[in-house]
Amino acid sequence: MKNSLRILTKTALLLDLLAESNLSFMFVTSPDACQKCLQYDKRIMSDEDAEGTFQYLVKGPSDWVWYPMVHPHCRCVLILLMGRI
């Protein structure tokens, strides 16, 4: 029962965090990234900037990771950072 309550509490905290504006994401390239993706490597941006920058942005099954889809074979990710820009 304690674990279920802990999971519900963490889920509620995550939903509250995601409801806030200006969340920070870091762009992380794949090991074999192309030049198009490398221009964003380790760049930190707000959720609004990410949505405006990446036309084909996919918000993943987890709210912690988004997929920028810079090109059709892109394997890079945007990872949610704790805190604001």
Side-chain angles (χ1 to χ4, degrees):
M1 185 70 172
K2 281 186 178 182
N3 286 338
S4 297
L5 183 57
R6 188 172 296 143
I7 290 170
L8 288 174
T9 302
K10 286 183 180 183
T11 301
L13 290 172
L14 175 60
L15 291 174
D16 286 345
L17 177 65
L18 292 173
E20 296 178 14
S21 61
N22 296 325
L23 296 174
S24 303
F25 285 86
M26 179 186 287
F27 189 100
V28 180
T29 58
S30 61
D32 58 344
C34 66
Q35 289 300 314
K36 202 170 187 180
C37 291
L38 285 174
Q39 68 180 327
Y40 299 110
D41 191 33
K42 309 251 182 330
R43 184 181 297 182
I44 296 174
M45 58 183 66
S46 71
D47 54 340
E48 292 172 351
D49 288 340
E51 289 170 339
T53 302
F54 305 110
Q55 181 178 358
Y56 301 105
L57 180 68
V58 175
K59 296 179 182 180
S62 162
D63 292 323
W64 298 92
V65 179
W66 291 0
Y67 304 93
M69 302 306 295
V70 176
H71 53 80
H73 302 290
C74 187
R75 291 181 280 144
C76 301
V77 295
L78 288 163
I79 298 176
L80 177 66
L81 301 174
M82 300 308 287
R84 298 172 182 250
I85 294 179

